[in-house]
Amino acid sequence: MTVLISAKQLTRYYGKHCAVNKVSFSLARGQILGFLGTNGAGKTTTLQMLCGNLAPSSGEILINGFDMLTQPKLAKRSLGYVPDTPPLYKELSVDEFLRYCAQLHGVPKADITAAVQLAEQRCGLSEVANRLIGVLSKGFQQRVGIAQAIVHNPDVIVLDEPTVGLDPLQIIEIRRLIRELGQEHGVIFSTHILSEVQEVCTDVMIIQQGACVLNARIDELPAEKSLETIFIDLMQAQ
Amino acid sequence: MNMILVIAAREFKTQFLSPLAWTILAILQFILAFLFLKQVETFIMIQPQLATMDNAPSLTDITVTPLFGIAGIIFLLVTPLLTMRLICEERRNKTLSLLLSAPLSNTEIIIGKYLGSFGLSALIVLLITIMPLSLLMGGTLDFAKVFANILALLLLTGAFSSIGLYMSCVAESPTVAATSAFGAIFLLWILDWSTGLTDKPSELFKYLSILRHFQNIQSGLINTLDISYFLIFISFFIMLSIRRLDKEHLQK
């Protein structure tokens, strides 16, 4: 298994407040890592650091073997990121927007149309390809956000709470998509829904007040305890 | 280089998706066409007197130079509106992370944005140039002087755009960005006024005043001092913008 992400001793301060404290983990191809934590635990900060949107106060991030701090361009090449608010240009159509994203990620000109079509197909966007993003429903916008992250076929896909605000059917679809993506890519996603992690992920990581309190394979977790009990136990232990 | 063009092209096209760019183009064209016709009328009226004068101002002096001069003043008002959204709106709409997580350097992002916005200004300059060219149907123009005017206006809008871009990097909202850019440009514009008040005008203020350099080039005196003033100006604010974007992922 190739290691796609290796994060070592990640730390981030906002002023004096320590948002993330010495978090280390790694991710290999074929793994889906569920990232759990209460509000303000440091999930989004960690993901932002992984994707080069935020510089860590200390620590090291290797994406596909490239250091995010010293070789950001090469590291970002293998990365697709869906932030908690999907970055969408509302005045563009889905097609235009995805084309632009593909260009930004250096997809060769000849392959762009195929790449955009594939991403639209995978995210169920083919029917709305020519509509403006601004007029789409939230669920569709969320899907465009995901399509944007997979259009250049990156090795690592990072999703920050991808199922927030979606209806139950859409949630099921997005989970199916994540599982599908996990087969050939490495996927990290953060969520509040514990059952989602149990259902979709191969690995789980829980952080609390910026520190990692659990990092394990789902099938290694004690079978008699549900993830929910484990989570609540860990939170109360603090 | 390729990425710069991708961002610039997107930025340029996006401007036309909002009514703002169209409105500005329409209003500018209307006002300047009115002024241009006024100048042409003036020329026709004073033509008999001009014929008797030695060294009389030419058709170009009477139509083109004032037209481009006024266009400069209008750009002073308009450029902040064109540049205010560049970075600031992306940050507000949280779309900046799209650019920040793509394999791009901040230099590429900033220069791309700059060129996209400057492209629209250049288009406006082109539209303004077409007006005096229409005079060729019945008269002759001093092309060297027309060229000097085009160059002066392009450099001027380039400088305005760079300062607008920087303000857009710094400010929290587009309105603040536009206001600060306008304030900065206006200050540079009027610096020259103070130099006339005393017997010994401040050499520094004289050099910093953007108006003086603009008028020098406009009058046809194209020299390295004025050109380098604009080029240094533009690179200075582009560099500041890049630095500001570099800091984006350090603090929050």
Side-chain angles (χ1 to χ4, degrees), chain A residues 109-141:
Chain A
K109 226 175 188 170
D111 306 340
I112 287 182
T113 311
V116 167
Q117 272 172 3
L118 183 67
E120 281 170 354
Q121 201 189 329
R122 293 183 99 170
C123 300
L125 289 165
S126 303
E127 284 162 35
V128 294
N130 292 318
R131 301 200 29 205
L132 291 184
I133 295 176
V135 303
L136 295 179
S137 70
K138 189 166 179 343
F140 271 110
Q141 290 189 354

PDB file of all heavy atoms in Angstrom, chain A residues 109-141:
ATOM      1  N   LYS A 109      -5.213  19.858 -22.108  1.00  0.00           N
ATOM      2  CA  LYS A 109      -6.349  20.422 -22.835  1.00  0.00           C
ATOM      3  C   LYS A 109      -7.213  19.346 -23.501  1.00  0.00           C
ATOM      4  O   LYS A 109      -8.441  19.397 -23.461  1.00  0.00           O
ATOM      5  CB  LYS A 109      -5.827  21.393 -23.903  1.00  0.00           C
ATOM      6  CG  LYS A 109      -6.606  22.684 -23.902  1.00  0.00           C
ATOM      7  CD  LYS A 109      -6.008  23.663 -24.872  1.00  0.00           C
ATOM      8  CE  LYS A 109      -6.682  25.016 -24.697  1.00  0.00           C
ATOM      9  NZ  LYS A 109      -6.015  26.068 -25.417  1.00  0.00           N
ATOM     10  N   ALA A 110      -6.547  18.357 -24.088  1.00  0.00           N
ATOM     11  CA  ALA A 110      -7.268  17.339 -24.846  1.00  0.00           C
ATOM     12  C   ALA A 110      -8.151  16.481 -23.942  1.00  0.00           C
ATOM     13  O   ALA A 110      -9.164  15.926 -24.382  1.00  0.00           O
ATOM     14  CB  ALA A 110      -6.273  16.467 -25.602  1.00  0.00           C
ATOM     15  N   ASP A 111      -7.775  16.373 -22.650  1.00  0.00           N
ATOM     16  CA  ASP A 111      -8.509  15.483 -21.748  1.00  0.00           C
ATOM     17  C   ASP A 111      -9.597  16.181 -20.960  1.00  0.00           C
ATOM     18  O   ASP A 111     -10.353  15.534 -20.233  1.00  0.00           O
ATOM     19  CB  ASP A 111      -7.537  14.836 -20.744  1.00  0.00           C
ATOM     20  CG  ASP A 111      -6.387  14.156 -21.448  1.00  0.00           C
ATOM     21  OD1 ASP A 111      -6.547  13.860 -22.647  1.00  0.00           O
ATOM     22  OD2 ASP A 111      -5.337  13.924 -20.814  1.00  0.00           O
ATOM     23  N   ILE A 112      -9.675  17.520 -21.079  1.00  0.00           N
ATOM     24  CA  ILE A 112     -10.568  18.254 -20.183  1.00  0.00           C
ATOM     25  C   ILE A 112     -12.031  17.834 -20.357  1.00  0.00           C
ATOM     26  O   ILE A 112     -12.712  17.528 -19.380  1.00  0.00           O
ATOM     27  CB  ILE A 112     -10.405  19.777 -20.395  1.00  0.00           C
ATOM     28  CG1 ILE A 112      -9.068  20.216 -19.791  1.00  0.00           C
ATOM     29  CG2 ILE A 112     -11.540  20.547 -19.745  1.00  0.00           C
ATOM     30  CD1 ILE A 112      -8.792  21.690 -19.883  1.00  0.00           C
ATOM     31  N   THR A 113     -12.498  17.778 -21.611  1.00  0.00           N
ATOM     32  CA  THR A 113     -13.908  17.443 -21.827  1.00  0.00           C
ATOM     33  C   THR A 113     -14.250  16.094 -21.211  1.00  0.00           C
ATOM     34  O   THR A 113     -15.254  15.954 -20.508  1.00  0.00           O
ATOM     35  CB  THR A 113     -14.213  17.427 -23.336  1.00  0.00           C
ATOM     36  OG1 THR A 113     -13.702  18.636 -23.894  1.00  0.00           O
ATOM     37  CG2 THR A 113     -15.694  17.347 -23.601  1.00  0.00           C
ATOM     38  N   ALA A 114     -13.390  15.114 -21.433  1.00  0.00           N
ATOM     39  CA  ALA A 114     -13.649  13.778 -20.893  1.00  0.00           C
ATOM     40  C   ALA A 114     -13.637  13.811 -19.375  1.00  0.00           C
ATOM     41  O   ALA A 114     -14.507  13.215 -18.720  1.00  0.00           O
ATOM     42  CB  ALA A 114     -12.598  12.798 -21.415  1.00  0.00           C
ATOM     43  N   ALA A 115     -12.676  14.526 -18.796  1.00  0.00           N
ATOM     44  CA  ALA A 115     -12.561  14.583 -17.340  1.00  0.00           C
ATOM     45  C   ALA A 115     -13.796  15.230 -16.726  1.00  0.00           C
ATOM     46  O   ALA A 115     -14.337  14.745 -15.726  1.00  0.00           O
ATOM     47  CB  ALA A 115     -11.307  15.362 -16.941  1.00  0.00           C
ATOM     48  N   VAL A 116     -14.260  16.333 -17.365  1.00  0.00           N
ATOM     49  CA  VAL A 116     -15.440  17.030 -16.843  1.00  0.00           C
ATOM     50  C   VAL A 116     -16.657  16.127 -16.937  1.00  0.00           C
ATOM     51  O   VAL A 116     -17.445  16.007 -15.990  1.00  0.00           O
ATOM     52  CB  VAL A 116     -15.655  18.352 -17.614  1.00  0.00           C
ATOM     53  CG1 VAL A 116     -17.020  18.933 -17.313  1.00  0.00           C
ATOM     54  CG2 VAL A 116     -14.570  19.348 -17.274  1.00  0.00           C
ATOM     55  N   GLN A 117     -16.798  15.428 -18.063  1.00  0.00           N
ATOM     56  CA  GLN A 117     -17.962  14.547 -18.222  1.00  0.00           C
ATOM     57  C   GLN A 117     -17.957  13.421 -17.203  1.00  0.00           C
ATOM     58  O   GLN A 117     -18.991  13.087 -16.619  1.00  0.00           O
ATOM     59  CB  GLN A 117     -18.003  13.972 -19.637  1.00  0.00           C
ATOM     60  CG  GLN A 117     -18.762  14.897 -20.580  1.00  0.00           C
ATOM     61  CD  GLN A 117     -18.661  14.477 -22.016  1.00  0.00           C
ATOM     62  OE1 GLN A 117     -18.056  13.441 -22.318  1.00  0.00           O
ATOM     63  NE2 GLN A 117     -19.229  15.259 -22.900  1.00  0.00           N
ATOM     64  N   LEU A 118     -16.773  12.878 -16.959  1.00  0.00           N
ATOM     65  CA  LEU A 118     -16.673  11.786 -15.992  1.00  0.00           C
ATOM     66  C   LEU A 118     -17.053  12.260 -14.595  1.00  0.00           C
ATOM     67  O   LEU A 118     -17.832  11.606 -13.887  1.00  0.00           O
ATOM     68  CB  LEU A 118     -15.253  11.214 -15.982  1.00  0.00           C
ATOM     69  CG  LEU A 118     -15.049  10.029 -15.052  1.00  0.00           C
ATOM     70  CD1 LEU A 118     -15.834   8.821 -15.553  1.00  0.00           C
ATOM     71  CD2 LEU A 118     -13.577   9.678 -14.913  1.00  0.00           C
ATOM     72  N   ALA A 119     -16.529  13.435 -14.222  1.00  0.00           N
ATOM     73  CA  ALA A 119     -16.838  13.968 -12.889  1.00  0.00           C
ATOM     74  C   ALA A 119     -18.329  14.257 -12.760  1.00  0.00           C
ATOM     75  O   ALA A 119     -18.940  13.964 -11.728  1.00  0.00           O
ATOM     76  CB  ALA A 119     -16.030  15.240 -12.636  1.00  0.00           C
ATOM     77  N   GLU A 120     -18.924  14.798 -13.821  1.00  0.00           N
ATOM     78  CA  GLU A 120     -20.363  15.083 -13.776  1.00  0.00           C
ATOM     79  C   GLU A 120     -21.169  13.811 -13.641  1.00  0.00           C
ATOM     80  O   GLU A 120     -22.121  13.727 -12.865  1.00  0.00           O
ATOM     81  CB  GLU A 120     -20.793  15.816 -15.056  1.00  0.00           C
ATOM     82  CG  GLU A 120     -20.449  17.291 -15.029  1.00  0.00           C
ATOM     83  CD  GLU A 120     -20.639  17.970 -16.368  1.00  0.00           C
ATOM     84  OE1 GLU A 120     -20.932  17.268 -17.360  1.00  0.00           O
ATOM     85  OE2 GLU A 120     -20.471  19.196 -16.419  1.00  0.00           O
ATOM     86  N   GLN A 121     -20.734  12.804 -14.375  1.00  0.00           N
ATOM     87  CA  GLN A 121     -21.431  11.530 -14.346  1.00  0.00           C
ATOM     88  C   GLN A 121     -21.345  10.906 -12.951  1.00  0.00           C
ATOM     89  O   GLN A 121     -22.335  10.456 -12.394  1.00  0.00           O
ATOM     90  CB  GLN A 121     -20.764  10.628 -15.380  1.00  0.00           C
ATOM     91  CG  GLN A 121     -21.598   9.493 -15.866  1.00  0.00           C
ATOM     92  CD  GLN A 121     -20.726   8.577 -16.711  1.00  0.00           C
ATOM     93  OE1 GLN A 121     -19.780   9.028 -17.359  1.00  0.00           O
ATOM     94  NE2 GLN A 121     -21.028   7.301 -16.681  1.00  0.00           N
ATOM     95  N   ARG A 122     -20.149  10.936 -12.369  1.00  0.00           N
ATOM     96  CA  ARG A 122     -19.974  10.302 -11.064  1.00  0.00           C
ATOM     97  C   ARG A 122     -20.767  11.011  -9.984  1.00  0.00           C
ATOM     98  O   ARG A 122     -21.205  10.386  -9.025  1.00  0.00           O
ATOM     99  CB  ARG A 122     -18.493  10.318 -10.673  1.00  0.00           C
ATOM    100  CG  ARG A 122     -17.652   9.451 -11.539  1.00  0.00           C
ATOM    101  CD  ARG A 122     -16.236   9.455 -11.064  1.00  0.00           C
ATOM    102  NE  ARG A 122     -15.968   8.275 -10.255  1.00  0.00           N
ATOM    103  CZ  ARG A 122     -14.747   7.930  -9.877  1.00  0.00           C
ATOM    104  NH1 ARG A 122     -13.729   8.676 -10.208  1.00  0.00           N
ATOM    105  NH2 ARG A 122     -14.553   6.860  -9.160  1.00  0.00           N
ATOM    106  N   CYS A 123     -20.922  12.325 -10.115  1.00  0.00           N
ATOM    107  CA  CYS A 123     -21.635  13.068  -9.079  1.00  0.00           C
ATOM    108  C   CYS A 123     -23.089  13.309  -9.457  1.00  0.00           C
ATOM    109  O   CYS A 123     -23.781  14.078  -8.787  1.00  0.00           O
ATOM    110  CB  CYS A 123     -20.936  14.399  -8.818  1.00  0.00           C
ATOM    111  SG  CYS A 123     -19.263  14.198  -8.272  1.00  0.00           S
ATOM    112  N   GLY A 124     -23.561  12.662 -10.534  1.00  0.00           N
ATOM    113  CA  GLY A 124     -24.957  12.816 -10.928  1.00  0.00           C
ATOM    114  C   GLY A 124     -25.308  14.220 -11.369  1.00  0.00           C
ATOM    115  O   GLY A 124     -26.367  14.738 -11.041  1.00  0.00           O
ATOM    116  N   LEU A 125     -24.406  14.848 -12.118  1.00  0.00           N
ATOM    117  CA  LEU A 125     -24.635  16.241 -12.511  1.00  0.00           C
ATOM    118  C   LEU A 125     -24.915  16.389 -14.005  1.00  0.00           C
ATOM    119  O   LEU A 125     -25.122  17.496 -14.486  1.00  0.00           O
ATOM    120  CB  LEU A 125     -23.403  17.083 -12.166  1.00  0.00           C
ATOM    121  CG  LEU A 125     -23.150  17.331 -10.688  1.00  0.00           C
ATOM    122  CD1 LEU A 125     -21.742  17.835 -10.479  1.00  0.00           C
ATOM    123  CD2 LEU A 125     -24.155  18.310 -10.132  1.00  0.00           C
ATOM    124  N   SER A 126     -24.931  15.243 -14.719  1.00  0.00           N
ATOM    125  CA  SER A 126     -25.036  15.326 -16.180  1.00  0.00           C
ATOM    126  C   SER A 126     -26.255  16.125 -16.630  1.00  0.00           C
ATOM    127  O   SER A 126     -26.198  16.863 -17.617  1.00  0.00           O
ATOM    128  CB  SER A 126     -25.087  13.927 -16.782  1.00  0.00           C
ATOM    129  OG  SER A 126     -23.944  13.218 -16.377  1.00  0.00           O
ATOM    130  N   GLU A 127     -27.374  15.992 -15.879  1.00  0.00           N
ATOM    131  CA  GLU A 127     -28.598  16.669 -16.315  1.00  0.00           C
ATOM    132  C   GLU A 127     -28.542  18.185 -16.107  1.00  0.00           C
ATOM    133  O   GLU A 127     -29.247  18.927 -16.778  1.00  0.00           O
ATOM    134  CB  GLU A 127     -29.803  16.123 -15.543  1.00  0.00           C
ATOM    135  CG  GLU A 127     -30.234  14.769 -16.037  1.00  0.00           C
ATOM    136  CD  GLU A 127     -31.104  14.073 -15.026  1.00  0.00           C
ATOM    137  OE1 GLU A 127     -31.879  14.757 -14.339  1.00  0.00           O
ATOM    138  OE2 GLU A 127     -30.979  12.835 -14.913  1.00  0.00           O
ATOM    139  N   VAL A 128     -27.751  18.617 -15.138  1.00  0.00           N
ATOM    140  CA  VAL A 128     -27.727  20.055 -14.853  1.00  0.00           C
ATOM    141  C   VAL A 128     -26.468  20.719 -15.379  1.00  0.00           C
ATOM    142  O   VAL A 128     -26.157  21.853 -15.024  1.00  0.00           O
ATOM    143  CB  VAL A 128     -27.854  20.327 -13.331  1.00  0.00           C
ATOM    144  CG1 VAL A 128     -29.205  19.889 -12.823  1.00  0.00           C
ATOM    145  CG2 VAL A 128     -26.742  19.651 -12.563  1.00  0.00           C
ATOM    146  N   ALA A 129     -25.735  20.003 -16.257  1.00  0.00           N
ATOM    147  CA  ALA A 129     -24.421  20.487 -16.703  1.00  0.00           C
ATOM    148  C   ALA A 129     -24.443  21.905 -17.255  1.00  0.00           C
ATOM    149  O   ALA A 129     -23.477  22.647 -17.104  1.00  0.00           O
ATOM    150  CB  ALA A 129     -23.850  19.534 -17.745  1.00  0.00           C
ATOM    151  N   ASN A 130     -25.570  22.287 -17.868  1.00  0.00           N
ATOM    152  CA  ASN A 130     -25.589  23.615 -18.496  1.00  0.00           C
ATOM    153  C   ASN A 130     -26.295  24.665 -17.663  1.00  0.00           C
ATOM    154  O   ASN A 130     -26.510  25.778 -18.106  1.00  0.00           O
ATOM    155  CB  ASN A 130     -26.249  23.528 -19.872  1.00  0.00           C
ATOM    156  CG  ASN A 130     -25.384  22.748 -20.825  1.00  0.00           C
ATOM    157  OD1 ASN A 130     -24.166  22.922 -20.840  1.00  0.00           O
ATOM    158  ND2 ASN A 130     -25.987  21.843 -21.573  1.00  0.00           N
ATOM    159  N   ARG A 131     -26.686  24.293 -16.439  1.00  0.00           N
ATOM    160  CA  ARG A 131     -27.382  25.286 -15.610  1.00  0.00           C
ATOM    161  C   ARG A 131     -26.390  26.062 -14.777  1.00  0.00           C
ATOM    162  O   ARG A 131     -25.280  25.592 -14.500  1.00  0.00           O
ATOM    163  CB  ARG A 131     -28.401  24.588 -14.713  1.00  0.00           C
ATOM    164  CG  ARG A 131     -29.383  23.861 -15.595  1.00  0.00           C
ATOM    165  CD  ARG A 131     -30.700  23.505 -14.995  1.00  0.00           C
ATOM    166  NE  ARG A 131     -31.227  24.347 -13.957  1.00  0.00           N
ATOM    167  CZ  ARG A 131     -32.092  23.870 -13.061  1.00  0.00           C
ATOM    168  NH1 ARG A 131     -32.438  22.598 -13.089  1.00  0.00           N
ATOM    169  NH2 ARG A 131     -32.599  24.672 -12.154  1.00  0.00           N
ATOM    170  N   LEU A 132     -26.811  27.259 -14.368  1.00  0.00           N
ATOM    171  CA  LEU A 132     -25.936  28.079 -13.533  1.00  0.00           C
ATOM    172  C   LEU A 132     -25.878  27.494 -12.134  1.00  0.00           C
ATOM    173  O   LEU A 132     -26.897  27.053 -11.599  1.00  0.00           O
ATOM    174  CB  LEU A 132     -26.469  29.514 -13.462  1.00  0.00           C
ATOM    175  CG  LEU A 132     -26.404  30.341 -14.734  1.00  0.00           C
ATOM    176  CD1 LEU A 132     -26.871  31.756 -14.462  1.00  0.00           C
ATOM    177  CD2 LEU A 132     -24.987  30.372 -15.291  1.00  0.00           C
ATOM    178  N   ILE A 133     -24.708  27.506 -11.542  1.00  0.00           N
ATOM    179  CA  ILE A 133     -24.547  26.927 -10.208  1.00  0.00           C
ATOM    180  C   ILE A 133     -25.426  27.658  -9.194  1.00  0.00           C
ATOM    181  O   ILE A 133     -26.001  27.045  -8.304  1.00  0.00           O
ATOM    182  CB  ILE A 133     -23.062  26.983  -9.796  1.00  0.00           C
ATOM    183  CG1 ILE A 133     -22.256  26.083 -10.730  1.00  0.00           C
ATOM    184  CG2 ILE A 133     -22.877  26.531  -8.362  1.00  0.00           C
ATOM    185  CD1 ILE A 133     -20.784  26.116 -10.509  1.00  0.00           C
ATOM    186  N   GLY A 134     -25.561  28.982  -9.370  1.00  0.00           N
ATOM    187  CA  GLY A 134     -26.330  29.780  -8.421  1.00  0.00           C
ATOM    188  C   GLY A 134     -27.788  29.363  -8.288  1.00  0.00           C
ATOM    189  O   GLY A 134     -28.385  29.577  -7.236  1.00  0.00           O
ATOM    190  N   VAL A 135     -28.372  28.786  -9.333  1.00  0.00           N
ATOM    191  CA  VAL A 135     -29.792  28.438  -9.263  1.00  0.00           C
ATOM    192  C   VAL A 135     -30.013  26.990  -8.808  1.00  0.00           C
ATOM    193  O   VAL A 135     -31.139  26.573  -8.623  1.00  0.00           O
ATOM    194  CB  VAL A 135     -30.512  28.662 -10.621  1.00  0.00           C
ATOM    195  CG1 VAL A 135     -30.360  30.096 -11.078  1.00  0.00           C
ATOM    196  CG2 VAL A 135     -29.979  27.721 -11.686  1.00  0.00           C
ATOM    197  N   LEU A 136     -28.937  26.252  -8.612  1.00  0.00           N
ATOM    198  CA  LEU A 136     -29.093  24.849  -8.206  1.00  0.00           C
ATOM    199  C   LEU A 136     -29.429  24.767  -6.718  1.00  0.00           C
ATOM    200  O   LEU A 136     -29.120  25.666  -5.940  1.00  0.00           O
ATOM    201  CB  LEU A 136     -27.798  24.081  -8.460  1.00  0.00           C
ATOM    202  CG  LEU A 136     -27.366  23.923  -9.921  1.00  0.00           C
ATOM    203  CD1 LEU A 136     -26.055  23.174  -9.981  1.00  0.00           C
ATOM    204  CD2 LEU A 136     -28.421  23.195 -10.719  1.00  0.00           C
ATOM    205  N   SER A 137     -30.055  23.646  -6.332  1.00  0.00           N
ATOM    206  CA  SER A 137     -30.373  23.443  -4.913  1.00  0.00           C
ATOM    207  C   SER A 137     -29.078  23.139  -4.152  1.00  0.00           C
ATOM    208  O   SER A 137     -28.041  22.848  -4.742  1.00  0.00           O
ATOM    209  CB  SER A 137     -31.341  22.288  -4.765  1.00  0.00           C
ATOM    210  OG  SER A 137     -30.662  21.088  -5.077  1.00  0.00           O
ATOM    211  N   LYS A 138     -29.174  23.226  -2.831  1.00  0.00           N
ATOM    212  CA  LYS A 138     -27.984  23.039  -2.006  1.00  0.00           C
ATOM    213  C   LYS A 138     -27.335  21.682  -2.240  1.00  0.00           C
ATOM    214  O   LYS A 138     -26.112  21.560  -2.291  1.00  0.00           O
ATOM    215  CB  LYS A 138     -28.356  23.195  -0.531  1.00  0.00           C
ATOM    216  CG  LYS A 138     -27.162  23.238   0.390  1.00  0.00           C
ATOM    217  CD  LYS A 138     -27.577  23.728   1.759  1.00  0.00           C
ATOM    218  CE  LYS A 138     -26.517  23.793   2.791  1.00  0.00           C
ATOM    219  NZ  LYS A 138     -25.292  23.158   2.742  1.00  0.00           N
ATOM    220  N   GLY A 139     -28.194  20.654  -2.393  1.00  0.00           N
ATOM    221  CA  GLY A 139     -27.665  19.309  -2.610  1.00  0.00           C
ATOM    222  C   GLY A 139     -26.838  19.236  -3.879  1.00  0.00           C
ATOM    223  O   GLY A 139     -25.736  18.674  -3.897  1.00  0.00           O
ATOM    224  N   PHE A 140     -27.360  19.848  -4.935  1.00  0.00           N
ATOM    225  CA  PHE A 140     -26.619  19.841  -6.200  1.00  0.00           C
ATOM    226  C   PHE A 140     -25.341  20.659  -6.082  1.00  0.00           C
ATOM    227  O   PHE A 140     -24.303  20.278  -6.615  1.00  0.00           O
ATOM    228  CB  PHE A 140     -27.498  20.386  -7.336  1.00  0.00           C
ATOM    229  CG  PHE A 140     -28.304  19.322  -8.018  1.00  0.00           C
ATOM    230  CD1 PHE A 140     -29.676  19.271  -7.871  1.00  0.00           C
ATOM    231  CD2 PHE A 140     -27.681  18.358  -8.786  1.00  0.00           C
ATOM    232  CE1 PHE A 140     -30.425  18.278  -8.487  1.00  0.00           C
ATOM    233  CE2 PHE A 140     -28.414  17.358  -9.411  1.00  0.00           C
ATOM    234  CZ  PHE A 140     -29.797  17.318  -9.254  1.00  0.00           C
ATOM    235  N   GLN A 141     -25.426  21.775  -5.364  1.00  0.00           N
ATOM    236  CA  GLN A 141     -24.223  22.592  -5.191  1.00  0.00           C
ATOM    237  C   GLN A 141     -23.146  21.798  -4.463  1.00  0.00           C
ATOM    238  O   GLN A 141     -21.967  21.870  -4.795  1.00  0.00           O
ATOM    239  CB  GLN A 141     -24.555  23.869  -4.419  1.00  0.00           C
ATOM    240  CG  GLN A 141     -25.398  24.823  -5.230  1.00  0.00           C
ATOM    241  CD  GLN A 141     -25.556  26.187  -4.581  1.00  0.00           C
ATOM    242  OE1 GLN A 141     -25.121  26.403  -3.461  1.00  0.00           O
ATOM    243  NE2 GLN A 141     -26.195  27.093  -5.282  1.00  0.00           N
TER     244      GLN A 141
END
